[in-house]
Amino acid sequence: SGDLYTFRHALVRDTAYNSLLKSERQALHGQIARQLNGANSGIAAGPELIAHHYTVAKQPQLAWEYWFAAGQNAVKRSASKEARQQLSMALGQLEKLPQNLERDAKEIEVQVLRAGVLRSTAGIAADKTGQTYKRIRHLCDKTGDTSHLFPVLNGQYSFYLVRADYDKAKEVADELLGLGRQTDVTEHKMVAHRALGAVLLHIGRVTEARNY
């Protein structure tokens, strides 16, 4: 009908909401999400609002997608704090899905974007950043995903280098060079040689560093 109803006071709204059974709330939130998501809804709803309703409706298979979309939008706006929160919400919803390779592939997409956000907020040397790169690498190994492996290894190398963990930094840089030779992509080989050069320079092996 196009009618709009509002509560006179937030307490009246909260009382009405809390009087509903949990199952009724979930059903209503699901209806709201579907309405907002409809092409003819006439309401300009951002993905974070739709994600919220799908989350409360206990529909993680849809909720994660909208939290991810919200995080992508926030990254484009350089709203790092919002992106970090929304991508964390996406991961929380993915944890509720059946554990399989399809779910893992979705997590890789979210974690890769989250890693970039963490680099600019927490910093490349932060524990959370390192844990995120470690998680992505585990998922890449598990799923056989090689498309994200090079940037993930580069992220791990940078994490160890900035933390002055040169042994591990060199180990990952060696892996980078091996992968670069395998892919035979000029950019990959360039980045890998630079990584090895930087590590060797830091540990005083100047002649070798110059060669790389």
Side-chain angles (χ1 to χ4, degrees):
S1 63
D3 293 332
L4 179 67
Y5 298 91
T6 59
F7 290 97
R8 290 182 179 272
H9 197 284
L11 290 176
V12 177
R13 178 201 62 198
D14 293 345
T15 300
Y17 183 79
N18 291 328
S19 68
L20 295 169
L21 295 174
K22 184 179 290 186
S23 59
E24 292 177 320
R25 292 185 205 172
Q26 290 180 14
L28 286 172
H29 280 287
Q31 291 176 26
I32 293 169
R34 287 190 294 274
Q35 179 64 32
L36 292 174
N37 195 25
N40 300 318
S41 68
I43 302 173
E48 64 278 2
L49 179 59
I50 299 174
H52 163 73
H53 286 294
Y54 275 133
T55 299
V56 183
K58 306 295 183 184
Q59 297 185 41
Q61 71 279 8
L62 293 169
W64 87 267
E65 293 185 22
Y66 285 94
W67 283 123
F68 185 38
Q72 289 174 309
N73 288 344
V75 168
K76 291 176 183 177
R77 302 195 313 271
S78 297
S80 298
K81 181 179 179 180
E82 289 82 355
R84 189 169 169 176
Q85 293 172 339
Q86 290 158 350
L87 294 172
S88 294
M89 290 295 293
L91 291 174
Q93 293 302 300
L94 281 173
E95 289 176 0
K96 302 177 188 299
L97 298 182
Q99 298 294 314
N100 53 41
L101 295 181
E102 182 182 357
R103 189 219 69 87
D104 291 344
K106 294 172 181 175
E107 184 182 342
I108 289 174
E109 295 293 332
V110 179
Q111 292 281 23
V112 166
L113 188 60
R114 181 169 174 265
V117 174
L118 286 171
R119 287 184 69 142
S120 63
T121 54
I124 182 58
D127 288 340
K128 285 185 178 180
T129 306
Q131 290 164 4
T132 299
Y133 279 120
K134 184 178 180 179
R135 173 64 178 170
I136 303 171
R137 180 167 185 185
H138 167 73
L139 291 170
C140 286
D141 291 341
K142 184 179 177 182
T143 61
D145 182 344
T146 57
S147 62
H148 292 97
L149 189 55
F150 193 89
V152 168
L153 287 177
N154 192 36
Q156 276 196 315
Y157 145 76
S158 301
F159 169 74
Y160 289 128
L161 183 72
V162 175
R163 288 171 70 106
D165 192 342
Y166 299 127
D167 287 340
K168 288 185 178 179
K170 185 178 182 303
E171 180 182 324
V172 178
D174 283 330
E175 290 183 79
L176 267 175
L177 185 55
L179 185 59
R181 287 169 174 163
Q182 180 181 329
T183 64
D184 201 30
V185 175
T186 300
E187 180 187 352
H188 288 178
K189 289 185 285 188
M190 179 191 71
V191 170
H193 279 97
R194 180 190 179 281
L196 268 170
V199 175
L200 292 169
L201 179 64
H202 276 78
I203 61 178
R205 292 162 61 176
V206 180
T207 302
E208 293 176 81
R210 181 182 59 195
N211 293 335
Y212 282 106

